[in-house]
Amino acid sequence: MPPVEPLTPQDPASLGPYPLAGRLGGDVYLATAPGGGQVAARRLARPLDAPGREALARVWEAAAVGTPHILDTGRDYIVSEYVPGPSLAEEVADRGALAGPALHRLAVATATAVASLHRAGLTHDGIAPERVLLGPDGPRLIGAERPVTPAWRAPESQELWQDPDEPPSAAADVFAWAAVIAFAATGRPPFGENPTRVSYGAADLGPLSGALRDLVADCLADEPEGRPGAEETLLRLLGHAGALDTVLPPSAPQVVVAPKMGVSRTSPEKRGKGGAVALAAGGLALALVSGAGGYLLAPAPASQARKAATTPTYTPRPAAFPTPGPSPLALTGGVLNERPGDPLRLASYRASVSADATAAFARSRDGAGFDRTGGDNHVSVVSPDGRWTATIDELFVAAKERLDVEFTDRGSGRRFTVPTISAPLSAHHPTWSPDGTRLMLSLWITEGTETDIAPFGFVVVDPATRAATVVETANDADREAFLAADPEVRLGALPAFRWTPEGREVATAYLTPEGRFGVRFHDLAGRALRSFHWVGLPAGTAWFSPDGRSFVTTQCEKRHVFCVWDTATGARRGGVPSARGDGMLGWFDATHLLFSREKKGEYRADVIDFSGETTRTLVELDLPGDDPLVQLFFLRS
């Protein structure tokens, strides 16, 4: 990597709040962020106009994959992540051509970046070896923002990687990508040093062989319409065993993806071109948000650990809503009766708005009201720190091929979506990790008829990196045994995964061989850690106590009672009597639970002490229809 050049007298001392430390080349500088750390800052020749700002916003959304993150923009500058590493051109000049896993890793990472830009309706228009940086955490394609900023010029050597007579387009990007991969494999431009050969000469693909050679050759087709798109290019790479070997460790578990019409469980080494087609339905969307390493790892459940878990540690977090808002606070069809000292705040809810439709609502940032966030079948949940609202359509299969999770930055109002799974998988019960950095959705799979629904696992979505990781916790044998059980019994055991309070594990209900319910804990790779087969069915959306030391279940006795158990050992700690029809929402505080009670459209959320007595009513609703739907999601204040 060449040294950072010193600033010249003509260079500014800073760009906005970013002091400049040196020159990285051209109009790009090494700068220091206000909080410390190095960033790359590019000075613009003139301020962005309105179309430029709009296009840059799209780059901002797309650039989380395979390109340096854009961190900030000012009137005449753009700040992005600093990638400390040589360019591909420098690496090849110093060490020679790439081969094997290094070459495949480069191809997957850069194709992912190109595909993500194209999906956002953008083109790069300047892909070249000089614009691929080999950072410590993988290759990055830089310059994605340049076509939308003033004074954009393609690199001088661009004619070696793209037909000079062909206008900028997605197809031109694919051509340039293939030329760069050929360069990486051979150490020289695929059409030599004569730019006119790009228009008429056959490419020199040197030692490239097999599926990668065929792909690069297809991408270098003379006519733009004869080239595969960036997404198809990525899919063909993902279906190639050599590419998968670059990101999966030698002892990695089986790769599982979620296509539209089935779940592929074929091992990578046995998957040929047909595997790439299977990946198309569900794997591509996740690859686009996960980068080169974002394959769907789905380890089979390991044998459960016999050692009891250590007692979880509860870590306080900032309040999502600084004030309780007015009381009573209006809800659709009712009111919320919060008090200033309450340990909970209603963060979002879903409720019937007519006899046959529901709507989702999330609390405003100041805590004083609720805003509608989605229509029928939508659910919204607010992160514990109040930064994000995540919204999903639980019945997405009726209108879309895949589930896109919509994230809203509650501070700026900026929205983006992260694609996740496709049918026959469905996603339910969204829940945030305790630190508010990751969203988890429980996954079910439909096997055959609409009623043949079985557990599959969970997917974790990171809004900061736009990455989605699917984890399978039930294998084929597990699902076969599940579907053989009584249909009325197994419905209760469809998983609703919950984070444990420290955020290092997840837990869910499972159906025991005796046809009863228990609780099983998994690590984030899906391995079963321990099971309490005697405890019954987990109750509520927040079944762990505020300190994390206890959890609550139902169907643990023949009489109506909610049982309290020790989280680490499964030992029973007590029980709270209840009446027929009482539902469990979760813990109000260390000595009170929150019950739901419904009767002919009237709904209440009552605070209950451990003797079973109602101490107050927190939520009152009068909703349309004979069987209205209500879901309440609380955060600790």
Side-chain angles (χ1 to χ4, degrees):
M1 182 172 63
V4 178
E5 298 177 359
L7 297 173
T8 69
Q10 290 73 37
D11 293 321
S14 64
L15 290 175
Y18 300 91
L20 303 185
R23 297 180 62 89
L24 295 175
D27 51 8
V28 182
Y29 299 89
L30 180 65
T32 303
Q38 294 181 320
V39 295
R42 188 161 77 85
R43 188 182 185 185
L44 302 180
R46 62 180 184 274
L48 286 169
D49 56 15
R53 287 193 297 271
E54 180 180 351
L56 185 61
R58 299 206 313 275
V59 176
W60 195 317
E61 297 292 341
V65 183
T67 63
H69 291 255
I70 296 177
L71 304 175
D72 193 11
T73 60
R75 181 176 179 273
D76 60 350
Y77 64 85
I78 299 173
V79 177
S80 61
E81 178 186 9
Y82 173 55
V83 182
S87 70
L88 176 61
E90 293 164 350
E91 180 73 5
V92 170
D94 293 341
R95 301 189 180 185
L98 278 62
L103 181 63
H104 284 296
R105 187 177 298 113
L106 172 74
V108 172
T110 50
T112 302
V114 176
S116 65
L117 289 171
H118 291 182
R119 175 163 284 192
L122 302 163
T123 57
H124 188 285
D125 303 349
I127 299 173
E130 296 86 352
R131 300 212 174 278
V132 177
L133 297 184
L134 305 180
D137 56 349
R140 302 288 184 90
L141 179 62
I142 65 172
E145 80 285 355
R146 286 179 174 260
V148 302
T149 57
W152 155 251
R153 292 190 307 274
E156 294 179 1
S157 62
Q158 183 62 22
E159 64 270 17
L160 299 179
W161 319 106
Q162 189 170 318
D163 187 342
D165 298 324
E166 184 176 329
S169 67
D173 278 354
V174 169
F175 186 100
W177 170 85
V180 167
I181 298 304
F183 166 81
T186 63
R188 53 190 178 273
F191 299 96
E193 299 292 339
N194 181 357
T196 60
R197 276 195 59 196
V198 177
S199 302
Y200 66 85
D204 174 11
L205 301 185
L208 279 174
S209 62
L212 183 58
R213 183 185 182 96
D214 292 343
L215 174 60
V216 169
D218 288 349
C219 293
L220 292 174
D222 291 339
E223 298 300 325
E225 56 269 21
R227 304 167 197 159
E231 294 191 5
E232 181 184 344
T233 297
L234 179 57
L235 287 172
R236 288 172 63 176
L237 285 169
L238 294 180
H240 184 254
L244 293 172
D245 290 342
T246 67
V247 294
L248 298 179
S251 59
Q254 179 177 340
V255 173
V256 175
V257 296
K260 285 190 291 187
M261 298 307 295
V263 176
S264 167
R265 300 180 184 89
T266 307
S267 58
E269 63 271 16
K270 295 182 180 179
R271 185 182 297 135
K273 290 186 177 180
V277 176
L279 281 161
L284 170 67
L286 286 160
L288 291 182
V289 297
S290 305
Y295 299 96
L296 312 185
L297 302 185
S303 59
Q304 76 177 55
R306 299 186 182 275
K307 183 178 179 182
T310 57
T311 301
T313 302
Y314 174 72
T315 303
R317 56 176 176 262
F321 312 108
T323 61
S327 186
L329 187 61
L331 305 176
T332 182
V335 294
L336 168 66
N337 300 303
E338 285 183 347
R339 298 174 184 172
D342 282 351
L344 294 180
R345 294 281 179 261
L346 181 63
S348 61
Y349 69 98
R350 177 187 176 194
S352 295
V353 291
S354 69
D356 55 1
T358 67
F361 302 85
R363 196 153 189 167
S364 59
R365 189 167 175 81
D366 62 5
F370 290 84
D371 301 317
R372 185 162 176 168
T373 53
D376 200 18
N377 303 317
H378 286 80
V379 180
S380 292
V381 286
V382 178
S383 61
D385 57 4
R387 178 181 179 184
W388 303 102
T389 297
T391 300
I392 70 167
D393 181 353
E394 289 193 304
L395 293 183
F396 73 94
V397 292
K400 298 181 179 180
E401 292 185 353
R402 67 164 188 263
L403 173 65
D404 293 333
V405 181
E406 181 183 83
F407 290 95
T408 302
D409 187 317
R410 293 167 58 81
S412 66
R414 189 165 57 93
R415 297 182 180 181
F416 59 89
T417 60
V418 175
T420 59
I421 51 95
S422 300
L425 295 184
S426 58
H428 310 270
H429 306 292
T431 179
W432 283 95
S433 60
D435 62 3
T437 61
R438 294 158 293 169
L439 181 76
M440 178 172 62
L441 304 170
S442 302
L443 299 181
W444 307 344
I445 184 169
T446 301
E447 306 252 11
T449 68
E450 293 182 358
T451 59
D452 291 337
I453 303 174
F456 185 88
F458 57 88
V459 57
V460 177
V461 188
D462 185 338
T465 62
R466 322 286 169 85
T469 304
V470 171
V471 179
E472 184 178 10
T473 60
N475 58 31
D476 289 338
D478 296 330
R479 286 187 279 273
E480 184 178 349
F482 181 87
L483 292 173
D486 184 336
E488 294 184 3
V489 174
R490 72 189 190 216
L491 182 63
L494 284 171
F497 280 92
R498 302 298 176 194
W499 298 90
T500 54
E502 81 289 346
R504 294 191 294 270
E505 299 174 2
V506 297
T508 188
Y510 78 102
L511 192 60
T512 70
E514 299 79 22
R516 301 188 58 178
F517 299 114
V519 172
R520 179 169 286 157
F521 293 78
H522 299 261
D523 65 16
L524 296 183
R527 290 180 287 267
L529 302 176
R530 61 194 185 280
S531 300
F532 302 148
H533 66 269
W534 57 89
V535 298
L537 185 65
T541 57
W543 34 283
F544 287 103
S545 61
D547 63 5
R549 298 176 184 272
S550 304
F551 65 92
V552 63
T553 67
T554 186
Q555 300 191 34
C556 47
E557 291 188 18
K558 292 183 179 180
R559 64 192 178 109
H560 294 290
V561 63
F562 289 100
C563 300
V564 180
W565 308 89
D566 185 280
T567 301
T569 66
R572 181 158 173 173
R573 289 189 160 184
V576 179
S578 65
R580 181 183 295 273
D582 285 348
M584 173 65 68
L585 294 173
W587 293 73
F588 183 74
D589 58 25
T591 58
H592 293 79
L593 300 177
L594 201 57
F595 281 12
S596 64
R597 288 165 169 165
E598 302 177 51
K599 186 177 180 181
K600 294 182 179 180
E602 295 181 0
Y603 177 96
R604 298 199 324 269
D606 290 339
V607 179
I608 309 296
D609 64 22
F610 279 5
S611 69
E613 294 296 320
T614 301
T615 62
R616 56 183 281 210
T617 296
L618 188 60
V619 175
E620 299 175 87
L621 301 174
D622 186 2
L623 299 173
D626 296 330
D627 188 22
L629 184 146
V630 180
Q631 291 176 282
L632 305 178
F633 302 94
F634 293 90
L635 293 177
R636 300 223 157 262
S637 58

